[in-house]
Amino acid sequence: MITWKDLRPVALVCLMVPMFASYFFDDAFSTLSQIFQHPESLELGWDSADYGFYAGGYSFLCVCGGLIICGILLDIFGVRIIGSVFVGLMAVGAAIVLAALRSGLPAKTSLAIAYAGCMIFGLGSEIAGVAVTRSIAKWFKGGNVAFAMGLQVAVARLGTALAFILAPVLVAAKAPGEVYSLAETARPAALGLAWIIFGVLLWGIFVAMDARFDREHGIKAGKGAVREEDAFKFSDLGKLLTNKRFLLISLLCVFFYCCIISFKKFGTSIVIPRFGMEADGAKWVITMIPFFTVVFTPLFGALVDKTGRAALWMVCGSVLVLAAHSVIAFAPQGVPFWGYFGISLLGVGYSLVPSAMWPSVPRIVPERNLGTAYSLIYWIQNMGMLLVPIFVGRIFRTFADTQAAVRAELIFISLGCTALLISLILHRIGIESE
């Protein structure tokens, strides 16, 4: 007889695919960023600053309070209703972006429409991610929760890796003087939307399974599905904002992640002129980042569990990321080895800090406040994700290729220095409950 425990893998697949699709769509143009440096070759007409502006749209509604409101809505109406709304918004936003790319409207008009779509997609994606995490915690309670969550993250980052690989294949490089048509430019977004639609269908299957799960286990929908001690409370905000260790982790999160996620948006635009790579080679270099995290994040997580000393591992990861950006900025020009070496350091650092940082939050925040804490951290993180791509995009608009790449790296080095300083302070005071 099939039990609910036997159906856990099915539920997990239904939850993983929407996040895989979200990551794919979000990074659909990351390994194509170099084509926006030559807007005259794009029928779309966007330049690098336009692309940076578009990429920052993902975080706009999140920064405006969407992530915090999410916690309240999930507690009041339950994961099935709110999750379905925002998984649907993810698809709607992606469809608006695709329509803008194919519209043939003037560049500024299509950019405005695409930005609106990206805002909707970003809010849907972030809140859907919270719903997915909470659903995994519910279905795997008493089982392999950490493994299930780790597997979901790994599959999501494979979505990024696949986007890095496929986007340059879908938008083949053009000879000088040739123009990328609207249809060609939109192909990665079209494939991303197809994945999202597939994810929506699987989410619908999960919703049906989850509703039956609740009926058979006597769980009420909405508030009754959430324990009182886990509910969002506005009074918790004050307690969190006066917890210095929580604030340090939040600041580390925003500065550290901007060194990685914002870099990925312009990665090929940086490594191609710095290390003399072709677009195809640059694609594979940037793809190393998510592949490294898939392999090393679970390993480093086990290492942190075994040895403790999470703050020390955060310092080590921050050092690696700062070293990576220093190599990318200042290594000898035109030598591909340094590009591979720098990205390898970046991938290892990107695996190490999250492995130590996220498990540290329950050590400094009471269990009943964890939902509020994670929402606040994501909210603060998205502030950086909103602004950094805009500034980097403007650099690529203003300066020539190599000069722009170095100046962009100076931004990431500054962010990395700040992240390292914060991790050193955190290491000095220790990660203990206040």
Side-chain angles (χ1 to χ4, degrees):
M1 180 179 177
I2 297 177
T3 65
W4 285 107
K5 185 176 181 179
D6 297 326
L7 292 176
R8 284 175 174 174
V10 178
L12 186 59
V13 170
C14 292
L15 293 169
M16 289 191 300
V17 173
M19 292 298 95
F20 170 92
S22 169
Y23 276 56
F24 183 99
F25 189 89
D26 186 41
D27 283 306
F29 294 102
S30 293
T31 46
L32 294 173
S33 61
Q34 71 280 358
I35 70 174
F36 296 102
Q37 294 177 259
H38 305 284
E40 69 280 358
S41 67
L42 290 170
E43 187 179 353
L44 183 64
W46 294 6
D47 62 16
S48 292
D50 295 330
Y51 169 65
F53 177 74
Y54 159 77
Y58 179 97
S59 299
F60 183 83
L61 293 178
C62 299
V63 169
C64 290
L67 282 170
I68 297 176
I69 294 172
C70 160
I72 300 172
L73 294 176
L74 283 173
D75 287 343
I76 294 175
F77 299 107
V79 166
R80 290 195 297 274
I81 294 175
I82 299 305
S84 297
V85 169
F86 288 103
V87 169
L89 282 180
M90 191 168 71
V92 169
I96 292 172
V97 170
L98 180 60
L101 295 174
R102 289 178 168 176
S103 66
L105 294 169
K108 297 304 179 185
T109 304
S110 65
L111 177 62
I113 296 172
Y115 188 83
C118 192
M119 289 193 302
I120 295 171
F121 165 77
L123 182 63
S125 179
E126 290 290 300
I127 297 180
V130 176
V132 165
T133 301
R134 292 181 65 129
S135 297
I136 291 174
K138 171 185 173 181
W139 273 69
F140 286 82
K141 184 177 181 180
N144 299 318
V145 178
F147 173 77
M149 288 186 176
L151 188 59
Q152 184 270 314
V153 170
V155 170
R157 289 180 176 173
L158 283 176
T160 290
L162 190 63
F164 286 176
I165 294 169
L166 290 183
V169 176
L170 295 170
V171 185
K174 294 282 189 179
E178 293 185 322
V179 176
Y180 293 91
S181 69
L182 294 174
E184 289 174 315
T185 307
R187 283 173 185 166
L191 181 56
L193 178 59
W195 276 114
I196 290 173
I197 292 172
F198 181 52
V200 170
L201 295 175
L202 290 185
W203 173 263
I205 294 173
F206 168 77
V207 166
M209 293 175 61
D210 192 62
R212 185 171 179 181
F213 179 96
D214 283 359
R215 286 196 301 271
E216 295 192 8
H217 288 80
I219 299 174
K220 297 179 181 179
K223 277 190 173 181
V226 181
R227 294 182 303 170
E228 177 64 24
E229 61 267 30
D230 292 329
F232 185 99
K233 296 181 179 67
F234 279 106
S235 61
D236 295 333
L237 292 174
K239 296 177 183 177
L240 289 172
L241 295 176
T242 55
N243 183 327
K244 61 184 178 182
R245 291 168 176 82
F246 171 78
L247 291 176
L248 286 170
I249 284 184
S250 299
L251 290 173
L252 175 60
C253 180
V254 65
F255 286 105
F256 177 82
Y257 272 92
C258 283
C259 287
I260 312 291
I261 297 176
S262 297
F263 169 81
K264 289 190 300 180
K265 300 294 183 183
F266 296 90
T268 53
S269 296
I270 292 172
V271 300
I272 287 174
R274 280 289 293 121
F275 304 111
M277 296 181 178
E278 298 293 332
D280 189 62
K283 168 193 72 177
W284 288 107
V285 172
I286 302 302
T287 304
M288 290 168 59
I289 298 174
F291 277 131
F292 265 71
T293 62
V294 169
V295 174
F296 287 108
T297 300
L299 295 178
F300 288 144
L303 183 64
V304 171
D305 285 339
K306 183 176 181 180
T307 65
R309 309 188 70 181
L312 177 61
W313 295 116
M314 289 186 233
V315 172
C316 294
S318 298
V319 168
L320 286 174
V321 168
L322 178 57
H325 283 297
S326 299
V327 168
I328 295 170
F330 302 120
Q333 180 82 15
V335 182
F337 166 79
W338 294 111
Y340 284 97
F341 180 66
I343 295 299
S344 297
L345 292 177
L346 200 65
V348 175
Y350 188 29
S351 304
L352 185 50
V353 170
S355 299
M357 181 170 60
W358 296 118
S360 298
V361 177
R363 297 176 59 187
I364 62 174
V365 174
E367 183 179 355
R368 69 184 182 87
N369 294 338
L370 283 178
T372 307
Y374 281 118
S375 295
L376 270 175
I377 292 174
Y378 292 146
W379 178 58
I380 294 171
Q381 174 188 325
N382 272 273
M383 292 182 184
M385 309 264 299
L386 172 68
L387 297 174
V388 173
I390 295 175
F391 288 114
V392 175
R394 288 180 177 176
I395 288 174
F396 278 99
R397 169 191 278 176
T398 306
F399 298 95
D401 292 355
T402 302
Q403 190 178 12
V406 174
R407 287 175 179 267
E409 276 302 310
L410 292 178
I411 291 181
F412 295 123
I413 288 172
S414 299
L415 294 169
C417 287
T418 307
L420 177 58
L421 177 61
I422 294 169
S423 66
L424 287 170
I425 296 172
L426 192 58
H427 178 256
R428 182 175 181 178
I429 67 175
I431 301 177
E432 298 294 340
S433 180
E434 292 192 324

